[in-house]
Amino acid sequence: ELAEKVREVSDRTWFLRHGAVVQQYVPVPRQDLRMLVAERYVVGAATRIALPGEWRTNVSIGGTLEPVVPPPEAEALAVAAAVALGGDFMGVDLIPDPAGGFFVLEVNAAAEFDDHYSIGGRDVFREAASRLGLLREPAAAAAY
């Protein structure tokens, strides 16, 4: 079937210019795991859940967020994806693999997030700023 489809499109301008990418079919779940990676460290995570009847998990269209402590294999995959793309701070969206583990769905260089992404009571904003080297350390007390 693949060879037949390639023959069908082989003379089209877009195919001649760019080719095509084929991937394994992945069932679309109604939720994903958004991981926030700052300098090779997961600083935030949340499960995003789509509205009933919807497959997109975007909060901007009505999806909801649930705080989550991500499993280590999800953290490792999110960090690997961010490192592969060379990002300092990235949102990495993962979906569960029915056979176990996760697939990378998308990597965002400008991920929107809020305090729902805080892991284990930590401040996600402070965690990200600290990992990115954006926090000034408090000045040492002067000795008199």
Side-chain angles (χ1 to χ4, degrees), residues 125-126 128-140:
F125 300 106
R126 185 165 189 70
S130 176
R131 292 289 172 178
L132 294 168
L134 301 174
L135 292 181
R136 284 187 175 179
E137 296 303 318

Side-chain angles (χ1 to χ4, degrees):
E1 286 180 32
L2 177 59
E4 177 59 29
K5 291 298 178 189
V6 170
R7 277 192 295 279
E8 283 180 27
V9 300
S10 65
D11 62 346
R12 295 188 185 179
T13 304
W14 62 265
F15 185 80
L16 292 170
R17 192 174 314 146
H18 303 289
V21 175
V22 178
Q23 72 177 45
Q24 171 187 346
Y25 171 73
V26 177
V28 179
R30 288 191 50 249
Q31 68 180 38
D32 63 19
L33 179 59
R34 160 74 52 94
M35 310 282 283
L36 303 173
V37 179
E39 290 294 335
R40 299 176 178 238
Y41 185 80
V42 174
V43 297
T47 297
R48 302 183 313 166
I49 304 164
L51 285 171
E54 177 61 69
W55 61 272
R56 295 170 295 174
T57 60
N58 306 48
V59 174
S60 62
I61 62 169
T64 58
L65 292 173
E66 290 183 3
V68 65
V69 175
E73 64 270 19
E75 288 193 26
L77 181 56
V79 169
V83 168
L85 294 172
D88 295 338
F89 181 78
M90 304 189 98
V92 181
D93 300 341
L94 306 178
I95 57 173
D97 175 353
F102 296 89
F103 289 113
V104 175
L105 177 64
E106 180 178 26
V107 180
N108 300 282
E112 184 177 327
F113 65 100
D114 62 18
D115 60 352
H116 287 92
Y117 289 86
S118 295
I119 299 174
R122 299 187 318 245
D123 180 341
V124 66
F125 300 106
R126 185 165 189 70
E127 288 277 322
S130 176
R131 292 289 172 178
L132 294 168
L134 301 174
L135 292 181
R136 284 187 175 179
E137 296 303 318
Y144 296 154

